[in-house]
Each structure stands twice: as structure tokens, then as C-alpha cells.
Amino acid sequence: MPKRNVAVFGAGYIGLVTSACLAELGHTVTVRDIQPERIRILCAGDIPIFEPGLGDMISRNKERLSFTLDAGEAVRDAEVVYVCVNTPPMASGDADLSRVWAVVNALKESARLSAVVVKSTVPVGTGTRIRAALDAAGLEHVGYASNPEFTAEGKAVQDFMRPDRVVVGTADDATAALLTELHAGVDGPVEVMDVASAEMVKMAANALLATKISFTNEIATMCEATGADITQVTKAIGMDHRLGPHFMNAGLGYGGSCFPKDSRALRAMASNAGYPFQLITAVIDVNELQPRRAIQRLKTRLEGLRGKRIALLGMTFKAGTDDMREAPSTTVASRLLAEGAQVRCWDPLAQPRDEEPWSSTERRATPVEAMAGADAAMIVTEWPELREVPWGEALAGMARPVLFDGRNLLDPQAMSKLGFTYLSVGRGTAVI
């Protein structure tokens, strides 16, 4: 199959993974971003984010990858342009598409362009508007496709190269064939459909996964009230082939760049159409309450939080990434500080911005250091390193033996035997 010249707009998690994987497939890729520091890091041979396998793939394909701040340079020889820019929520909950439109407006400088492909998550109907804009700009010959991403941070390279499916939404056969050709070498089926359906697939898939998480957390609350064990309940539920075990871990709720943003965008899209999407509203409400419930339980156990020293173990929204976007830890830290607590943190990868709440917390190099002198510790992120902590040593250094396992990472009996007052999500409370 012929190899193509591709331009990728956006050097974030999705853009860099897309660029590296397309280069791995043999295509020549120019990556454009608006952040000078990010491009400087990439040009120096480093990567500005943590994603397993990504750095090696970029290094292996460095002859086919280039990085630039210049939109004109990126599109000049491009046959295909991928739009991988951020679409953050506005105050209304609608997606901010200004970055998408900035890319579309830059396409007039391309003489060889055959297709524009949007991987950014956009509201249903965006493709129709982009198609009209391309036509108005004299680019009627340029195909358009929605190609939503379904990669999970921490295994994004694997998800791109061996996906469950590649969704291609387009109105013409030539663009469908081109996208299928671009993915030659990817080990997964290509599902071709209309543009609106492809746009909806992304939002619906994320909303369904978010629903599973919030549903599990609601059942966990019921388990706490009735004495049932959420881990046993979800294990048995997950054995049902109709349901499966994925995204059924009780905890402090979902975070990251996709689930919170996309669920709110879906709700806003429904509201704009005059439809009250009550289910997704409930999913969002449950998720926003979950870390606050944990703080309330900790407050009750400690008989107040003012002046208490709390160690937060984990800051990123999940293990295996350095991503802090919409991390439950931000809500947890904010609430603790608002209650007058002192907060120390540990995380192996997190690089939070120097702003609240993190500017008012202290960072420690190890979990044991974070827990030294603490009145309570809270596991916020399911880092596997926390299973290897010398918990007896950590307990000896604490002022009080309270441990809230917000990810059900540890064994309740083992922690209680050590002497911890151990709290978790949906598994009852063990007190020595």
C-alpha cells in the first residue's frame, strides 16, 4: 500500500500517539502544536508526556516524524490532515471547538490535500458544519471523515495498533478507502458508517463506561449500608458474559480528559435539543459526589479535619499516566484544605500546576515519608507501588492509624491485622 504524507494538529496524548503509530505504519508525519515548549522538547528527542512505549516508538521512527509550530509548514505537503486538538468544555457544558476551527481555517494553504480527519471529540453535527466550511473555502474535492479515538492512557499505543475497532465516519467511498489504507497494518476491523453516527459512537461509548463506574459506586454505597462486599458483588456480576468485569471497580470516581468532559458535553447536547438526559445527569452527579463522600467519612472517623495532617497517596486520575486532568485528587485535596487540614502528597509521575489546591500542599518522595506524622492516609490512585509499601513501618510513623483505601487496593484483613483503622469503598469498615 502507498505511504502518505500526514499532518497531525495537536501534540497532546492523542496527537502524539496518533503521529507515532502512523509513522510506525510507514507514513511520513508532521506534527504541529501551538505550544513552543512542547515542540522544543519533541525536537530535542524527548516527549512532554508519559505514555508507555510512546518514547521508543517516536525514537524508532524519528526519520519519518517532524515537529513544527507553523501550520502552513504542516499542511504544505500533507495529503491527509488529522485534527487531534483539545475540545475543552465551556461554561455552558458545550465543547469549545475554536481549536478545531483554527485547523480548518489553515487548510487553504495545502495544495495536495485529499482528506481531513477529525479525531477530536466533537458534538454530533460538527462534521456537517466542517464539510460546509471546506466547500465554502473551495475544498470540495477534499474528503472528510470522523475517526474517533478509543485509546486508554497507559496503554494508548497498544490500543491504537490492536484496537477493538477503527471507526470511520464519512460520506464518500474514496475517503473510506483512504482511511482504511492508512490503517493497513493495524490489527483490528474498520467499521465504516456515516459521519453523525461516528461522532455519536465516541460520546455514547464514553457515557456508557462512565455509567458503569457510577453505577458500581452507587452499589458500593448500598453495600456499605447493608454489609455486603462490593468486590464479591462485582466479581460475580462481571462473570456474566452479557456484562463483563470492566469498569466495575468501586472507588473515588472517574476522571481524566474524556469521561467528565464527554458526559457533560452529551448532557449539554441533549439539553440544546430540548431533551433532559436524566440518566447521564445522574451519572455526573454520582461521580461528583463520590470523593466528597469519602472526605465526609474521613471527617467523621477523625472527629473533624481542622488541623489534621492527611497524606494523599496518588494524585493522577489513574495509575500508569502523569495526567492530572479532572483527577479526583483535586477535589479531595481542595475539600481537605477547605476543612482546615494539612495535606501531604505522593505520586510517582504527577506534575501538577503550581496553583490551588496543589500550591497549598506538600510533596513527599515516598509514601512512607508522606505518612510520617499523619493523622490519616488516603489512597487516591491505584498505583501498584502502594501494594509494596512497608505498611508496618508506615503505621509506626503515623500519629493515628487511619487509612482510607479509596481504590480498594489492599486487603482489609491484612491491614487490620497490622493495626490500621481501615476504611474502603463498599467493603465495610475494619477497626482494631
Side-chain angles (χ1 to χ4, degrees):
M1 302 294 288
K3 303 307 179 183
R4 302 287 185 171
N5 289 326
V6 179
V8 174
F9 279 72
Y13 287 86
I14 302 308
L16 282 181
V17 170
T18 298
S19 302
C21 290
L22 288 173
E24 180 81 358
L25 295 173
H27 305 295
T28 299
V29 183
T30 301
V31 184
R32 190 260 179 165
D33 200 274
I34 61 173
Q35 298 185 29
E37 179 63 12
R38 182 171 290 181
I39 293 300
R40 184 196 66 77
I41 291 171
L42 289 164
C43 288
D46 297 319
I47 59 172
I49 61 173
F50 176 82
E51 182 62 42
L54 180 59
D56 290 341
M57 183 174 280
I58 288 177
S59 177
R60 187 166 60 246
N61 294 283
K62 61 184 178 181
E63 299 302 321
R64 287 193 288 270
L65 282 164
S66 60
F67 307 95
T68 183
L69 291 165
D70 189 337
E73 178 185 343
V75 302
R76 187 171 300 123
D77 297 319
E79 299 168 80
V80 182
V81 167
Y82 274 83
V83 182
C84 301
V85 296
N86 192 18
T87 54
M90 298 188 291
S92 63
D94 297 287
D96 180 355
L97 301 180
S98 59
R99 296 168 180 84
V100 174
W101 286 113
V103 178
V104 173
N105 292 334
L107 298 179
K108 59 181 179 295
E109 298 186 38
S110 175
R112 302 178 59 192
L113 191 60
S114 296
V116 178
V117 183
V118 171
K119 290 193 82 69
S120 301
T121 302
V122 297
V124 179
T126 302
T128 299
R129 294 191 290 275
I130 293 177
R131 178 71 270 169
L134 293 173
D135 292 346
L139 299 173
E140 299 94 338
H141 62 285
V142 175
Y144 177 82
S146 171
N147 177 217
E149 58 84 19
F150 300 100
T151 54
E153 289 180 34
K155 59 186 191 74
V157 171
Q158 173 186 328
D159 286 347
F160 189 102
M161 299 303 291
R162 293 187 293 278
D164 295 326
R165 76 292 199 202
V166 177
V167 172
V168 175
T170 186
D172 65 272
D173 293 339
T175 302
L178 175 58
L179 266 291
T180 301
E181 170 195 300
L182 279 169
H183 286 87
V186 168
D187 184 14
V190 177
E191 285 292 316
V192 178
M193 60 190 70
D194 63 273
V195 173
S197 295
E199 292 170 337
M200 183 62 83
V201 166
K202 169 64 175 178
M203 301 188 77
N206 280 349
L208 183 55
L209 294 174
T211 299
K212 290 188 72 174
I213 295 170
S214 284
F215 179 81
T216 300
N217 282 329
E218 286 281 77
I219 295 298
T221 301
M222 293 297 298
C223 287
E224 292 167 11
T226 60
D229 185 328
I230 188 63
T231 58
Q232 295 184 44
V233 171
T234 53
K235 179 181 178 181
I237 291 174
M239 294 169 72
D240 189 324
H241 71 277
R242 299 169 301 173
L243 302 172
H246 304 297
F247 292 87
M248 295 190 70
N249 295 319
L252 299 179
Y254 57 78
S257 63
C258 291
F259 290 0
K261 174 176 70 69
D262 293 353
S263 57
R264 293 176 195 138
L266 186 59
R267 180 177 62 180
M269 189 171 67
S271 297
N272 293 341
Y275 169 63
F277 201 149
Q278 295 175 338
L279 177 58
I280 200 63
T281 297
V283 167
I284 295 168
D285 289 346
V286 168
N287 194 66
E288 292 179 349
L289 180 62
Q290 199 66 11
R292 298 172 186 272
R293 285 191 66 253
I295 295 302
Q296 188 60 39
R297 290 179 62 194
L298 192 62
K299 181 179 180 180
T300 299
R301 177 60 55 185
L302 294 177
E303 299 179 324
L305 291 169
R306 182 164 297 280
K308 301 299 193 303
R309 292 161 293 185
I310 312 298
L312 297 189
L313 306 181
M315 300 162 68
T316 57
F317 87 93
K318 71 173 186 177
T321 180
D322 60 352
D323 197 347
M324 291 287 295
R325 288 176 292 181
E326 298 276 1
S329 64
T330 303
T331 299
V332 170
S334 296
R335 286 298 308 134
L336 288 171
L337 292 168
E339 292 282 352
Q342 302 171 30
V343 181
R344 298 173 182 168
C345 307
W346 166 86
D347 192 284
L349 291 177
Q351 296 295 329
R353 296 179 179 177
D354 187 20
E355 58 187 28
E356 294 295 343
W358 304 115
S359 57
S360 297
T361 67
E362 300 176 15
R363 190 80 175 265
R364 293 291 186 267
T366 69
V368 173
E369 290 179 24
M371 287 185 279
D375 295 288
M378 177 180 285
I379 295 177
V380 183
T381 310
E382 65 282 13
W383 285 106
E385 292 93 328
L386 292 173
R387 292 194 178 96
E388 309 303 322
V389 168
W391 287 104
E393 177 187 340
L395 176 63
M398 294 180 70
R400 298 177 65 173
V402 178
L403 175 62
F404 192 117
D405 187 349
R407 296 297 178 183
N408 292 349
L409 191 69
L410 306 176
D411 179 74
Q413 285 70 37
M415 301 311 292
S416 295
K417 190 174 294 185
L418 281 174
F420 279 100
T421 297
Y422 179 83
L423 301 94
S424 58
V425 183
R427 298 194 296 179
T429 301
V431 181
I432 294 295

